């Protein structure tokens, strides 16, 4: 591990709340509050409209923000292109104001050529093939509205004149925008050009390092300070004894409605003892990651949160 502080966040299971049929949000609130008390740095929520139904991301962060005072509140990831940019800028600015400047917006794009993901765009009258360009334009618009009054913009998808958004975000330059990309060249260049942070679930620490080196190089080529981009890793885990690992694999198979082997082939999923799992985390940190967003593949989220905190504290990593 390096001497630079590593931040640990947790993903709130907003989809599992739908899958389980629960109508009580207290478990989500309890998880967020307990994560803050244990010394985690952030809590995160996912986003989907119809492909993988869940509790709305921004609504959840507003509720969690009212029950916490320190942890940062992020999206991992948010399908921003499903929203109109002026309204989204307004919502995020208000959310940042209400939470005293704790919001991070992690933007993703949905899986290409996945029918359920593309259907989300189609039912809103949007072209899924344009989602990347729409997202880039949306980032530019929101930053302008957060930093300027009487703003105007003329783009391919959105045009407006003389717009002022109030309140402005508490954070001076606006809400930090983290962009998702695995080992995809246009995505890495996009992070270097537009991202305040980088989100991914790259399966290999070695490939992670290669991608991070590329992002830093592209940023420098574009006259950006590479150190202004915060690198993260989205880390799905099932840790503990054999029973916990088997439960985690079953959990992920049910979540994605496919075999665990197919899930693990498509994304980063780490299983094993807590020491084995944390060893994997450390390899990503050594490759450059500075935030680890932990997603627990477990039914008992609160118990896993405690076990993870205990394991991280044994290694001197948390708090």
């Amino acid at each position: 591990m390096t001497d630079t502080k590593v931040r640990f966040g947790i993903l709130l299971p907003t989809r599992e709340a739908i899958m389980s049929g629960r109508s009580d949000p207290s478990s989500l609130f309890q998880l967020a509050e307990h994560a803050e008390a244990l010394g985690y740095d952030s809590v995160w929520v996912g986003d989907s409209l119809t492909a993988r139904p869940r509790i709305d991301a921004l609504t959840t962060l507003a509720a969690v923000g009212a029950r916490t005072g320190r942890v940062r509140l992020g999206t991992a990831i948010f399908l921003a292109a499903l929203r109109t940019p002026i309204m989204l800028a307004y919502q995020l600015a208000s959310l940042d104001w209400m939470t005293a400047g704790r919001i991070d917006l992690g933007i993703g794009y949905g899986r290409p050529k996945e029918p359920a993901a593309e259907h989300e765009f189609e039912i809103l009258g949007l072209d899924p093939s344009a989602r990347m360009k729409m997202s880039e334009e949306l980032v530019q618009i929101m930053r302008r509205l957060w930093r300027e009054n009487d703003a105007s913009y003329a783009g391919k998808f959105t045009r407006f004149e003389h717009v002022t958004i109030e309140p402005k975000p508490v954070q001076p330059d606006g809400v930090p925008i983290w962009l998702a990309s695995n080992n995809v060249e246009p995505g890495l260049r996009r992070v270097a050009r537009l991202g305040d942070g980088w989100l991914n679930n790259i399966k290999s620490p070695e490939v992670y390092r290669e991608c991070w080196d590329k992002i830093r190089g592209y940023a420098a080529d574009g006259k950006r300070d590479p150190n202004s981009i915060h690198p993260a890793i989205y880390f799905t885990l099932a840790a503990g004894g054999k029973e916990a690992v088997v439960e985690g694999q079953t959990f992920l198979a049910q979540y994605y409605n496919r075999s665990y082997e197919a899930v693990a082939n498509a994304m980063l999923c780490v299983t094993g003892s807590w020491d084995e799992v944390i060893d994997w985390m450390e390899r990503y940190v050594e490759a450059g990651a500075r935030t680890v967003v932990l997603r627990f593949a477990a039914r008992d989220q609160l118990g896993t949160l405690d076990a993870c905190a205990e394991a991280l504290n044994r290694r001197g990593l948390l708090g």
Side-chain angles (χ1 to χ4, degrees):
M1 300 285 287
T2 66
D3 293 331
T4 303
K5 174 177 168 55
V6 182
R7 306 172 187 174
F8 290 92
I10 66 157
L11 185 79
L12 298 182
T14 54
R15 171 146 168 74
E16 287 78 358
I18 298 294
M19 295 173 67
S20 68
R22 292 193 308 269
S23 60
D24 180 4
S26 62
S27 61
L28 291 176
F29 300 151
Q30 185 181 14
L31 195 64
E33 292 167 345
H34 197 48
E36 181 171 75
L38 288 171
Y40 290 89
D41 294 277
S42 54
V43 296
W44 301 76
V45 294
D47 180 44
S48 180
L49 180 59
T50 57
R52 294 192 178 94
R54 65 187 69 225
I55 309 301
D56 175 71
L58 300 189
T59 304
T60 302
L61 291 184
V64 169
R67 289 163 171 79
T68 56
R70 176 187 58 79
V71 288
R72 293 196 65 80
L73 308 164
T75 59
I77 50 77
F78 190 77
L79 299 173
L82 292 177
R83 282 79 172 184
T84 58
I86 296 175
M87 181 61 77
L88 182 58
Y90 170 62
Q91 291 175 308
L92 287 165
S94 296
L95 185 55
D96 200 61
W97 185 89
M98 292 176 66
T99 59
R102 290 189 282 145
I103 301 300
D104 291 304
L105 181 70
I107 291 179
Y109 317 100
R111 293 185 179 275
K113 299 182 180 179
E114 183 179 279
E118 295 197 343
H119 183 61
E120 292 186 307
F121 288 87
E122 293 165 352
I123 61 177
L124 295 174
L126 302 171
D127 178 3
S129 68
R131 66 193 185 281
M132 305 293 190
K133 294 298 183 183
M134 292 168 61
S135 298
E136 289 189 15
E137 188 171 292
L138 182 143
V139 169
Q140 295 167 356
I141 290 170
M142 292 198 301
R143 284 181 172 151
R144 182 166 296 181
L145 292 172
W146 290 336
R147 297 170 184 177
E148 302 175 15
N149 292 324
D150 195 35
S152 299
Y153 187 89
K156 181 177 180 180
F157 305 100
T158 303
R159 293 172 176 266
F160 58 84
E161 294 182 353
H162 308 302
V163 175
T164 298
I165 291 294
E166 294 289 354
K168 294 288 191 287
V170 171
Q171 298 178 86
D173 290 325
V175 173
I177 295 176
W178 302 36
L179 299 181
S181 178
N182 284 343
N183 186 18
V184 180
E185 200 68 23
L188 300 178
R189 291 182 181 274
R190 187 180 300 113
V191 173
R193 182 163 40 89
L194 294 173
D196 297 307
W198 174 41
L199 285 165
N200 62 87
N201 61 359
I202 292 172
K203 294 173 57 180
S204 160
E206 291 74 25
V207 173
Y208 184 100
R209 183 188 297 276
E210 293 171 5
C211 290
W212 179 228
D213 287 343
K214 285 183 178 180
I215 289 171
R216 291 179 61 85
Y218 296 148
D221 291 344
K223 310 303 180 185
R224 285 195 70 193
D225 178 5
N227 294 321
S228 68
I229 304 171
H230 189 92
I233 182 72
Y234 184 94
F235 196 98
T236 299
L237 66 94
K242 181 178 180 180
E243 184 177 332
V245 170
V246 171
E247 180 191 282
Q249 293 174 346
T250 303
F251 176 95
L252 291 170
Q254 292 174 346
Y255 182 98
Y256 291 104
N257 195 29
R258 63 183 69 177
S259 70
Y260 171 73
E261 289 73 21
V263 174
N265 187 56
M267 60 180 287
L268 174 63
C269 304
V270 180
T271 65
S273 70
W274 278 108
D275 281 337
E276 289 171 330
V277 168
I278 293 175
D279 284 346
W280 264 94
M281 290 183 203
E282 287 189 311
R283 291 180 63 188
Y284 283 95
V285 173
E286 290 166 358
R290 288 298 169 266
T291 287
V292 182
V293 180
L294 301 169
R295 178 197 180 201
F296 301 135
R299 300 296 175 194
D300 181 6
Q301 293 277 316
L302 198 61
T304 307
L305 179 73
D306 281 327
C308 184
E310 182 180 348
L312 291 171
N313 279 322
R314 284 200 303 268
R315 306 280 279 264
L317 299 177
L318 191 64

